[in-house]
Amino acid sequence: MNARTTTASPPPIPRHRLIADTALDLLAERGMRGLTHRAVDEAAGLPQGSTSNLARTRAALLAAAVTRLAEREAAVLAPREMPGVADPEAAAPAALAEALALALHRYLSHHRGLLIARYELALEATRRPELREVYDRAGRAFREPVQALLAAAGSPAPERQALALVAWCDGVLFSCVAGQFHAEVPTRDALRTSCAELLDGMLRS
């Protein structure tokens, strides 16, 4: 007689994470108007009122979505893949270009919905000061490490150049998801080359 084998079921997703992830999915699929407490309950397969119990107001629901967005975006590029993790002073422009190209390509290849949700939230943050604070705090988690890596790579003005580099990354993502270059994902090699050219110009100035 063959012994029966059993496979362990994956642990249930915490309800707060399920609700936030579903909110991001709805933002990508339906836009800001399609995000309601009832819609989240229905899409997540939860009893009516579940989302309201967790996030009583629309502002609270949006803040939960922004917080979860930051968590998921941080996972697009694992910390161990960033240059200079163990020794920031060892970060080189080529390594930074490689890491940024990898992150951009992953976004465009596998996380387009997440980007669309981000754009919906960014626009909403311009109208809601309380959401602006949450959105900006999440953004600093990306901007500040880039600034530190630029400084380690020899940037003469890391704060100013971090703004330019982050803006370039945001521009590439927007153009390739919602702008005129949406039809085709750039190759990782092309992204690496463009990023290296930008860094070379910055660090020579």
Side-chain angles (χ1 to χ4, degrees):
M1 178 184 296
N2 294 330
R4 292 184 178 179
T5 58
T6 58
T7 56
S9 300
I13 300 173
R15 181 164 291 193
H16 71 279
R17 187 190 304 170
L18 174 61
I19 287 172
D21 281 337
T22 303
L24 292 173
D25 291 342
L26 287 171
L27 285 168
E29 294 169 6
R30 306 179 189 178
M32 194 59 66
R33 289 186 178 182
L35 178 64
T36 65
H37 288 74
R38 180 185 292 274
V40 173
D41 287 340
E42 292 175 352
L46 294 172
Q48 185 175 341
S50 297
T51 301
S52 294
N53 287 335
L54 181 76
R56 291 198 170 277
T57 64
R58 182 170 179 81
L61 180 58
L62 290 171
V66 170
T67 300
R68 181 60 179 151
L69 174 71
E71 293 173 352
R72 289 178 59 179
E73 289 196 326
V76 171
L77 192 67
R80 67 179 181 276
E81 295 175 294
M82 285 298 291
V85 170
D87 179 8
E89 295 185 0
L96 181 54
E98 178 65 41
L100 291 175
L102 177 59
L104 292 172
H105 194 261
R106 282 180 179 168
Y107 271 122
L108 296 171
S109 301
H110 305 296
H111 302 284
R112 296 174 77 90
L114 201 61
L115 289 168
I116 295 171
R118 187 216 287 181
Y119 300 142
E120 292 282 349
L121 289 166
L123 288 172
E124 190 68 11
T126 66
R127 310 178 189 100
R128 292 176 176 265
E130 71 282 2
L131 185 61
R132 177 86 269 166
E133 181 179 354
V134 179
Y135 190 91
D136 288 350
R137 185 167 63 248
R140 285 195 294 271
F142 177 75
R143 185 179 72 248
E144 291 174 355
V146 169
Q147 183 175 324
L149 288 167
L150 282 169
S155 168
E159 184 174 354
R160 174 175 58 80
Q161 292 186 337
L163 185 154
L165 184 57
V166 171
W168 177 81
C169 290
D170 280 342
V172 168
L173 293 173
F174 183 86
S175 294
C176 294
V177 168
Q180 296 188 25
F181 297 92
H182 66 91
E184 186 175 350
V185 175
T187 66
R188 185 171 159 186
D189 286 344
L191 292 167
R192 184 195 305 110
T193 299
S194 295
C195 189
E197 290 170 346
L198 179 62
L199 286 168
D200 182 62
M202 284 181 172
L203 298 176
R204 285 189 182 187
S205 61

